[in-house]
Amino acid sequence: MDKETEDKIMKATDIMHPEDAKAIQMIKSVPGCEQLIRVFMKLGYEAQYRGENLANHIKVTLKSFSEIYRLFKEVVARVGIREPELYIYNDPEINAYTYGETNTFVAISSGAVERMNKDELKGILAHECGHILCKHTLYMTIWRTLQDMGALLGVVHRTMFAPLYLALQYWSRKAELSADRCAAVVVGEETFQSALVKLASGLKETARRARGLVEQGKQYEAFKRSSLWYRVQQEYRCMFYSHPQLCTRALELDRWRVSYGYSRQVG
């Protein structure tokens, strides 16, 4: 591999949000934690989800949805990860998710395929590939394991792991910001801003309002600053979110686009 090609391959450190990186380092500091999670994924969730995908979703290949597969190949090559499996599932809501460590997959909703244009769809796929690059699925298993132990097996009561649950929810929100950065590098910040507007509105056409959420993000921050009580209310609501508010994501990307890190990746 020549140096020019090597320089173009994305690294997790190129896109990782500082708060995301900090939380991951805390998880890594627990002795044997990563090894245990990998074993759990291999024996449990990975096989379960792969079976669900093969049973109920449509696998995207060169022979099936070839245009989407071509876009996906371009994204995977740019991010520099091993190619995951790609599935489309039936859901009018615009959404996508990824999972797996040894058999990674990306699943994207029919709503996203139908409403996003080609570049926006690449951005959604790049966001999911960013999660894989940063190994987010590995760490999120802790949260899912705790949920199952408490809700299904009755081993641990929810109140016993509430502080850890909230901490992982916080990390999950920051992890989304890292994945957004990956998407911005692959398709350009403005294109992914347009995808976020469609994600917020559910509309196929947004009348060139690509930066609409950025302006709303500024209004939202001003709203929170206007009253301590408003800020407490909003922060309390966010505690239970696995994703940041869409206007927050848009504003974070808008700030990152003027950084050296962004210009180095897209230059």
Side-chain angles (χ1 to χ4, degrees), residues 94 115-116 120 124 180 189-217 245-247 249-251 253:
I94 299 173
R115 292 180 180 86
M116 300 288 172
E120 291 163 348
I124 298 297
D180 284 349
E189 182 264 347
E190 186 168 352
T191 295
F192 193 65
Q193 292 282 13
S194 177
L196 290 177
V197 170
K198 289 186 177 181
L199 186 59
S201 66
L203 299 175
K204 186 175 182 179
E205 300 296 335
T206 53
R208 300 182 181 276
R209 288 285 297 164
R211 308 196 70 78
L213 278 174
V214 175
E215 296 307 314
Q216 283 186 218
Q245 296 108 319
L246 286 166
C247 69
R249 292 171 63 178
L251 198 55
L253 268 188

Side-chain angles (χ1 to χ4, degrees), residues 75-241:
V75 170
V76 168
R78 177 65 181 89
V79 178
I81 59 173
R82 180 167 58 90
E83 184 178 322
E85 293 181 341
L86 177 62
Y87 294 89
I88 298 173
Y89 64 98
N90 183 12
D91 190 338
E93 184 177 348
I94 299 173
N95 199 11
Y97 60 92
T98 185
Y99 197 79
E101 173 66 14
T102 57
N103 292 295
T104 312
F105 71 85
V106 172
I108 188 166
S109 71
S110 56
V113 173
E114 290 174 345
R115 292 180 180 86
M116 300 288 172
N117 65 34
K118 181 177 70 173
D119 291 331
E120 291 163 348
L121 186 59
K122 281 181 69 174
I124 298 297
L125 294 171
H127 173 97
E128 300 307 323
C129 288
H131 281 308
I132 296 170
L133 178 67
C134 295
K135 299 189 181 297
H136 289 152
T137 55
L138 182 64
Y139 306 115
M140 204 58 182
T141 303
I142 299 175
W143 175 72
R144 288 181 172 138
T145 302
L146 287 172
Q147 278 194 318
D148 282 356
M149 289 175 66
L152 301 179
L153 305 179
V155 176
V156 182
H157 194 272
R158 286 180 181 272
T159 56
M160 293 179 66
F161 62 82
L164 179 57
Y165 172 80
L166 292 175
L168 285 168
Q169 288 285 78
Y170 173 82
W171 164 75
S172 177
R173 293 193 294 274
K174 301 308 178 183
E176 290 300 314
L177 302 179
S178 298
D180 284 349
R181 289 180 175 189
C182 182
V185 169
V186 173
V187 299
E189 182 264 347
E190 186 168 352
T191 295
F192 193 65
Q193 292 282 13
S194 177
L196 290 177
V197 170
K198 289 186 177 181
L199 186 59
S201 66
L203 299 175
K204 186 175 182 179
E205 300 296 335
T206 53
R208 300 182 181 276
R209 288 285 297 164
R211 308 196 70 78
L213 278 174
V214 175
E215 296 307 314
Q216 283 186 218
K218 294 174 181 177
Q219 293 172 25
Y220 178 65
E221 286 202 338
F223 168 74
K224 288 199 298 183
R225 288 195 301 267
S226 67
S227 163
L228 177 60
W229 177 237
Y230 291 166
R231 177 163 186 161
V232 169
Q233 284 181 320
Q234 295 303 311
E235 294 296 335
Y236 174 77
R237 289 175 64 85
C238 292
M239 284 173 59
F240 303 97
Y241 291 176

Side-chain angles (χ1 to χ4, degrees), residues 8-10 72-81:
K8 288 184 178 180
I9 294 178
M10 203 181 302
F72 189 55
K73 291 278 284 187
E74 291 176 6
V75 170
V76 168
R78 177 65 181 89
V79 178
I81 59 173

